[in-house]
């Protein structure tokens, strides 16, 4: 008798690969998100520092203009960084959704494989019991003769 063979084993292995790829995509998206979040925190910290320094020292017009321009530049960078962070968050959500979908597809195949394995085990047990019944019947008949 040959052993159990799942007909969709190649598909199951392919789904394993897809799950691995989706996990890698999610890790990459999460890393980018964290990087953008750290960058935003750094920019906001720098902005706060520049605001505190704005009126520090001598209040000469050219220094105030320069400091004001630096603050405006940082504000623009913060706005851009927030946009990047929103995009990165969206990418993380999309990646997570694709991973969940891939895991569900993989799980469906795993359950199908388990069900087929149980059916195979049941059929094998039935065959074995049938063989044992035939052996017992033959032995009984030989003893009765």
């Amino acid at each position: 008798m040959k052993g159990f063979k799942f007909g969709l084993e190649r598909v199951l292995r392919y789904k394993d690969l897809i799950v691995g790829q989706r996990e890698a995509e999610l890790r990459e998206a999460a890393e980018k998100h964290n990087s953008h979040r750290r960058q935003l925190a750094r920019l906001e910290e720098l902005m706060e520092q520049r605001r505190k320094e704005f009126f520090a020292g001598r209040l000469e017009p050219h220094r105030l203009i320069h400091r004001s321009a630096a603050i405006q530049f940082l504000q623009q960078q913060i706005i851009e960084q927030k946009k990047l962070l929103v995009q990165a968050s969206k990418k993380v959500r999309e990646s997570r959704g694709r991973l969940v979908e891939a895991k569900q597809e993989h799980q469906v195949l795993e359950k199908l494989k388990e069900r087929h394995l149980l059916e195979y085990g049941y059929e094998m047990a039935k065959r074995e019991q049938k063989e044992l019944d035939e052996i017992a019947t033959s032995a009984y008949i030989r003893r009765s003769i």
Side-chain angles (χ1 to χ4, degrees), residues 6 12-13 25 35 44 52 61 66 71 73 79 84 87 90 97 104 111 113 122 128 131:
F6 184 54
L12 184 61
R13 284 195 313 247
E25 286 176 11
S35 172
E44 287 173 340
K52 287 179 182 177
H66 175 70
I71 288 173
F73 178 73
I79 290 169
L84 290 174
Q87 291 172 354
K90 182 179 177 185
Q104 287 173 345
K111 286 183 180 181
K113 181 179 180 179
Y122 176 75
E128 185 177 321
E131 288 176 15

Side-chain angles (χ1 to χ4, degrees), residues 13 20 24 40 68 84 86-88 99-100 107 112 118:
R13 284 195 313 247
L40 179 61
S68 176
L84 290 174
V86 168
Q87 291 172 354
L99 175 60
V100 167
Q107 189 176 23
L112 182 63
L118 287 174

Side-chain angles (χ1 to χ4, degrees), residues 16 47 49 54-55 67 72 82 97 106 125 133 135 138:
D16 265 343
M47 170 69 101
Q49 183 182 10
F54 188 72
F55 290 110
R67 290 176 184 168
Q72 287 175 352
K82 284 181 180 179
H106 180 265
D133 288 347
I135 292 172
S138 306

Side-chain angles (χ1 to χ4, degrees), residues 114-127:
E114 288 174 15
R115 193 172 80 213
H116 282 208
L117 183 58
L118 287 174
E119 289 172 3
Y120 175 78
Y122 176 75
E123 290 298 320
M124 291 304 293
K126 264 179 41 177
R127 286 183 190 171

Side-chain angles (χ1 to χ4, degrees), residues 95-112:
S95 295
R96 190 174 293 125
R98 284 193 299 271
L99 175 60
V100 167
E101 183 180 319
K103 282 187 174 186
Q104 287 173 345
E105 291 174 2
H106 180 265
Q107 189 176 23
V108 166
L109 285 175
E110 279 291 335
K111 286 183 180 181
L112 182 63

